[in-house]
Structures are given as C-alpha cells and as structure tokens.
Amino acid sequence: MSKKGELKKRIKESETEIENLEKRRGRSQSALLQAVVEGVKPDPTDVEYFKTFTKLIELERENLHKLKIELEKL
C-alpha cells in the first residue's frame, strides 16, 4: 500500500477511535452532570473514568493532527 493510502487509513482509524472514546466518556459525563444537578458529590469512579477518557481523547487528537500534517507533506 502506498504511503498516502496508509496514512489515510490510519487517519480514518484515529477518527473512529476518537468517536468511540467520546461515546464512552459520555456515560461518565452524564453521571457527573446528574450529580451536579442533584447537588450531590459525584462518584469517584465516574470522575476517574471521565479524566481517563478525556486524556485518551486528547492523545488520540494529537496523533490525528500529526497524521494529517504528515499527509499534507506528501
């Protein structure tokens, strides 16, 4: 496979991964929002899940950005 084709494939995979991570983060985000609305302390597990998925999303977005730059250079 050509370098350009491989990069396009990796970009698509990265975009899909970001979507999946955002969906998973949304579950903990809903639980956190519910706690705020109800005026109670959020479950520490939900907080950790939210932080973890947010960090993973940030890392994957950085990777996606690098891939797009690399593709533009070709």
Side-chain angles (χ1 to χ4, degrees):
M1 186 181 292
S2 71
K3 178 76 171 169
K4 206 171 206 176
E6 179 64 29
L7 281 172
K8 287 180 181 180
K9 179 183 175 192
R10 290 174 55 200
I11 287 170
K12 180 64 179 161
E13 289 170 350
S14 182
E15 290 170 340
T16 302
E17 180 65 15
I18 290 170
E19 288 175 19
N20 290 335
L21 289 168
E22 287 175 340
K23 286 178 188 175
R24 294 173 71 187
R25 179 180 66 175
R27 294 181 190 129
S28 60
Q29 189 174 17
S30 296
L32 294 174
L33 183 58
Q34 181 179 358
V36 169
V37 169
E38 293 175 355
V40 297
K41 187 174 179 178
D43 185 325
T45 305
D46 291 326
V47 173
E48 280 308 307
Y49 277 130
F50 182 80
K51 288 179 180 179
T52 300
F53 285 120
T54 299
K55 186 62 179 171
L56 290 172
I57 290 167
E58 289 172 2
L59 291 172
E60 193 59 42
R61 284 184 179 154
E62 288 174 18
N63 180 52
L64 177 61
H65 181 70
K66 288 176 186 175
L67 291 171
K68 286 184 175 182
I69 288 173
E70 190 175 341
L71 180 62
E72 288 174 5
K73 289 180 181 179
L74 293 179

